[in-house]
Amino acid sequence: MKALEGVRILDMTHVQSGPTCTQLLAWFGADVIKVERPETGDATRGQLRDVPNVDSLYFTMLNHNKRSVTLNTKHETGQEIFERLIRACDVLVENFSPGALDRMGFSWERIQTINPRLIYASVKGFGPGPYEECKVYENVAQCTGGGASTTGFDDGPPTVTGAQIGDSGTGVHLALGIVTALFQRERSGKGQRVICAMQDAVLNLCRVKLRDQQRLTHGPLKEYPQYPDGRFGEATPRSGNASGGGQPGWIVKCLGWEDDPNAYIYIITQAAAFDGLARAIGRDDWIDDPDWNSPKARLPKLDQMFNEIERWTKTKTKFEVMEILNPLNVPCGPVLSMKELAEEPSLRASGTVVEVDHPTRGSYLTVGNPIKLSDSPSEVERAPLLGEHTRDILQNVLGMTDQELEAAQGEGAV
Ligand code: CAO
């Protein structure tokens, strides 16, 4: 049995944030019914296509384990069918621009009268306030949630990260909101409204930067590369590759860095393992030198320290550095490229990187469920073709007859 078996999700999501959320719920065993506009479907089916006339990887990698039904929810008959689906489901998830469901005629008030047990969950760009009506994509959220102003180097522009903290990050937050609401419904018997704004989710992930904003009022941030020579302004600055925690860290070059953009490793000079690190890089003299042998003494010259470490790492590959430093309890990690991650045997073995077969695309690689439950294993199934399950769902979930289905199809409602 899967953890969410028996939970039925009415999935009105599109693009990335919402689909990330419902894909996780599907991996935990929920029956996710993805409602898509007839003919076009989720716009990402056709975006960033690598193979002509085949659902894009953008779509297929975000919509595993779901069933697809086509339904025009602006058409009268389509709305009647939608209402029946609301009655038949436990959760409705959507991430349209603000007010889209209301414009279709489905306000929260009306949804509650149709199915009081329904949990109605949404991703929006912003919460209540001056921007609540705005449309938002990933990088807008990274900029408005504090990610961009705190990412990059002090002398460079604000920078967005490759990790999709705005879209996928918000989707993960929303999934937690949904299962929490499902848990509460077990006791209350009632559904509720769940909303996660992308700005809020990114800010939550940037929590430590708001911490630093407040620390800044009490003096310079000593673990930041600006210390001791640079100037601090009024806001948390960009900290390059500094660790952000109490243990200094930095990315240093490894053997081959001149030709390989990813021949780097992250090293954290944790105090407890510092002597071993000093010995490994040939600086045994640091161990008894009061200028080096305490975190406080090292703090004003972290750049010098990492330059010394780098002189050593440049003579080794990033994997050799890993092999040498890990037994010494020095936390470190090679900068892995997407190619290396795709080929990594341990990620294949754990099901985090999975090869999936698709009827029109053939086989492709995807990221499986990163959350492992011992009693609810996730098998990754391919994403559905547009409308692949329309008949199945309308007949077996809603009990529609052949005639009803054909009539709805004839009217263009499905
Ligand atoms: N049948 C009929 N109409 C449908 C439909 C269906 N099955 N599914 C959707 N639609 C309609 C909606 O009713 C809406 O119409 P109206 O604008 O007339 O109300 C329209 O399709 C969808 O509109 P949208 O504004 O959501 O889409 P967009 O491409 O213009 O904007 C996005 C996309 C992502 C910017 C916007 O949806 C948004 O801001 N969402 C909230 C934040 C979010 O999740 N962003 C992350 C996206 S991933 O990067």
Side-chain angles (χ1 to χ4, degrees):
M1 186 187 162
K2 299 264 175 71
L4 294 182
E5 221 168 275
V7 174
R8 190 173 278 149
I9 314 270
L10 184 51
D11 180 8
M12 296 285 285
T13 68
H14 66 156
V15 204
Q16 185 183 164
S17 63
T20 299
C21 165
T22 52
Q23 177 168 261
L24 279 169
L25 302 175
W27 279 332
F28 291 135
D31 177 16
V32 176
I33 298 174
K34 182 163 173 114
V35 174
E36 295 180 83
R37 227 183 307 212
E39 288 169 30
T40 48
D42 186 329
T44 59
R45 285 187 185 267
Q47 283 173 5
L48 310 178
R49 265 193 178 139
D50 54 336
V51 183
N53 304 320
V54 165
D55 285 337
S56 70
L57 287 167
Y58 195 3
F59 177 83
T60 50
M61 290 177 71
L62 285 159
N63 289 285
H64 295 107
N65 298 54
K66 303 180 187 178
R67 302 197 282 167
S68 166
V69 57
T70 50
L71 191 63
N72 183 346
T73 52
K74 286 187 172 165
H75 185 285
E76 202 183 325
T77 308
Q79 291 181 345
E80 282 166 23
I81 296 171
F82 188 59
E83 190 173 330
R84 288 167 71 178
L85 281 168
I86 289 177
R87 240 176 243 124
C89 289
D90 300 284
V91 183
L92 164 61
V93 193
E94 63 88 31
N95 67 309
F96 294 127
S97 56
L101 242 74
D102 298 74
R103 288 192 287 279
M104 283 176 202
F106 293 93
S107 64
W108 171 222
E109 289 69 30
R110 174 151 182 242
I111 288 170
Q112 280 172 289
T113 64
I114 299 169
N115 180 356
R117 284 177 58 80
L118 192 91
I119 288 151
Y120 172 17
S122 303
V123 169
K124 294 290 164 251
F126 295 93
Y131 304 125
E132 66 187 300
E133 296 302 325
C134 298
K135 295 189 175 192
V136 169
Y137 282 104
E138 172 67 50
N139 290 341
V140 174
Q142 289 202 25
C143 290
T144 57
S149 71
T150 54
T151 304
F153 287 83
D154 204 24
D155 56 357
T159 306
V160 295
T161 78
Q164 305 286 282
I165 57 173
D167 279 341
S168 289
T170 309
V172 174
H173 279 80
L174 193 73
L176 177 62
I178 291 169
V179 291
T180 305
L182 279 168
F183 186 71
Q184 188 172 357
R185 194 183 71 171
E186 289 296 302
R187 287 166 290 164
S188 69
K190 280 196 328 215
Q192 63 182 299
R193 190 84 173 90
V194 179
I195 302 175
C196 194
M198 295 169 76
Q199 181 183 42
D200 300 9
V202 171
L203 180 58
N204 185 37
L205 297 173
C206 290
R207 178 172 293 265
V208 298
K209 299 298 178 180
L210 186 59
R211 173 201 68 192
D212 293 347
Q213 178 64 42
Q214 294 168 88
R215 289 173 60 223
L216 196 53
T217 59
H218 299 285
L221 304 170
K222 293 183 181 165
E223 75 284 14
Y224 275 55
Q226 289 80 355
Y227 180 77
D229 306 320
R231 282 187 42 240
F232 285 87
E234 288 185 348
T236 307
R238 295 187 263 290
S239 58
N241 289 317
S243 81
Q247 310 286 355
W250 200 253
I251 288 183
V252 287
K253 292 169 180 159
C254 292
L255 190 68
W257 66 273
E258 297 91 336
D259 303 314
D260 176 356
N262 295 307
Y264 289 81
I265 192 163
Y266 200 94
I267 294 187
I268 297 178
T269 59
Q270 189 161 349
F274 187 77
D275 290 2
L277 175 64
R279 264 187 222 104
I281 67 166
R283 290 305 308 256
D284 309 50
D285 56 303
W286 282 354
I287 295 169
D288 295 316
D289 182 348
D291 274 351
W292 286 100
N293 66 4
S294 70
K296 195 164 174 234
R298 293 191 286 273
L299 211 47
K301 40 184 182 279
L302 293 181
D303 52 344
Q304 242 179 296
M305 179 181 72
F306 282 109
N307 281 342
E308 277 297 291
I309 294 171
E310 190 173 68
R311 262 178 2 115
W312 174 75
T313 55
K314 274 159 82 175
T315 66
K316 309 258 178 296
T317 69
K318 59 189 177 187
F319 298 110
E320 285 167 348
V321 175
M322 241 342 233
E323 298 248 313
I324 296 168
L325 293 188
N326 269 302
L328 303 175
N329 285 329
V330 176
C332 56
V335 171
L336 295 179
S337 68
M338 274 301 139
K339 182 171 185 297
E340 286 165 329
L341 288 164
E343 292 165 358
E344 171 57 42
S346 63
L347 293 176
R348 297 290 184 106
S350 67
T352 297
V353 175
V354 191
E355 199 161 328
V356 181
D357 210 15
H358 187 274
T360 54
R361 133 175 317 278
S363 96
Y364 66 96
L365 271 194
T366 194
V367 184
N369 191 351
I371 306 166
K372 319 289 186 197
L373 267 61
S374 66
D375 217 11
S376 180
S378 303
E379 292 101 33
V380 180
E381 287 161 20
R382 69 166 174 85
L385 300 173
L386 180 60
E388 188 176 342
H389 306 96
T390 301
R391 174 172 288 273
D392 180 18
I393 288 164
L394 297 188
Q395 296 204 317
N396 296 324
V397 176
L398 298 188
M400 281 173 72
T401 62
D402 281 343
Q403 287 97 319
E404 278 181 299
L405 186 61
E406 274 150 34
Q409 276 165 338
E411 289 177 54
V414 298

